[in-house]
Amino acid sequence: MQTLAIIKPDAVGAGKTGQVLSVLEQKGFKVRAARLVRLSRVEAEAFYEVHRERPFYAPLVAFMTSGPCLTMVLEHPDAVAYLRDVIGATDPAQAAPGTVRRLYAESKERNAIHASDSPENAVREVAFFFPEAELRKLDG
Ligand code: GDP
């Protein structure tokens, strides 16, 4: 089973990319695809479309386009629910000890990592960043 993760611009900019990846690998995820991207405004708006009416939508789009982020497809038998556990609550102050957000997030917005929140969204989000043909190439 696959899910989409994004190491956000705060963590990449702070030089924490390797440390976050290390936690994810230690927790048992396999990295199946990865690409460093600088999201355009149009891409960030489309990715977070579901939040368009929320007060934090415009600042969220500004933050997500502020610098490069690392988009990844992660694999694990229970990838979606398990990655949500491993990243912790949206607000790092509420996140459990040892979670990625507790360890590396700065604030509720600048919270280090994104992870798909349902199997349906995982399929949509993986396809958003990684066309299927590209993933198939890895299987040789
Ligand atoms: P997630 O699934 O835990 O990432 O949280 P959501 O899907 O609810 O929100 C998407 C992203 O919007 C979060 O990861 C934060 O970066 C940002 N965000 C969510 N809620 C807030 C908020 O109340 N204030 C601000 N400034 N940003 C928020």
Side-chain angles (χ1 to χ4, degrees), residues 8 48 51 56 60 84 90 101 108-109 111 114:
K8 295 186 179 184
Y48 282 114
H51 293 312
F56 58 81
L60 176 61
R84 295 294 298 188
T90 308
R101 283 169 166 169
K108 192 170 185 182
E109 179 178 272
N111 61 0
H114 166 87

Side-chain angles (χ1 to χ4, degrees), residues 77-109:
D78 187 28
V80 175
Y82 180 46
L83 184 60
R84 295 294 298 188
D85 282 350
V86 165
I87 72 169
T90 308
D91 182 348
Q94 312 291 328
T99 58
V100 172
R101 283 169 166 169
R102 179 69 170 265
L103 288 167
Y104 300 113
E106 295 175 19
S107 67
K108 192 170 185 182
E109 179 178 272

